[in-house]
Amino acid sequence: MRVTSGARARMPSDGEFLAYLCRKRKALYGKAMRLAIIASALLLTACAPRLSFSNEAGGVINRTGSIGSDRAYKLATDHCAKYGKIARFTDRDVLTNSMRFECVAS
């Protein structure tokens, strides 16, 4: 539907209008899906356990829920492996949702 100067605009037929709506719906659906995927990825990243304090003696891992305990163990073992040691968890604080570990000689 193109408007030229000095000419009256033509009303689209029902078929043209439905095709237009279908194209717009597909475009909006694609944008909504991309936004939903990005939002869910950000939420999952924000909830993942992370190493908040660490040195060669040990560290603290925050945000360790029941889902993140396996990931927390992997973070601790990878951290201690940098120093040639193994991780040993010493404390789990339910109130702060964190775990403490120390790196001990193997």
Side-chain angles (χ1 to χ4, degrees):
M1 180 171 79
R2 188 176 286 168
V3 177
T4 58
S5 62
R8 290 187 75 157
R10 176 179 73 80
M11 291 298 293
S13 68
D14 288 341
E16 290 174 336
F17 185 67
L18 289 175
Y20 170 77
L21 286 179
C22 188
R23 284 192 309 271
K24 285 296 183 183
R25 182 184 62 86
K26 286 181 182 177
L28 288 175
Y29 180 75
K31 288 179 184 177
M33 286 302 293
R34 281 191 294 266
L35 182 63
I37 290 170
I38 291 171
S40 62
L42 288 174
L43 284 173
L44 289 175
T45 306
C47 297
R50 67 181 187 116
L51 205 54
S52 63
F53 168 78
S54 63
N55 57 21
E56 68 179 62
V60 177
I61 301 173
N62 287 334
R63 292 182 262 188
T64 57
S66 60
I67 297 171
S69 59
D70 292 337
R71 176 127 166 83
Y73 181 74
K74 175 142 178 51
L75 279 171
T77 54
D78 290 347
H79 172 75
C80 292
K82 290 190 281 187
Y83 302 106
K85 299 179 179 181
I86 59 172
R88 183 177 77 187
F89 284 97
T90 58
D91 185 29
R92 181 177 189 143
D93 192 351
V94 179
L95 294 176
T96 61
N97 201 17
S98 64
M99 296 174 84
R100 291 171 186 76
F101 68 94
E102 60 184 16
C103 297
V104 294
S106 52

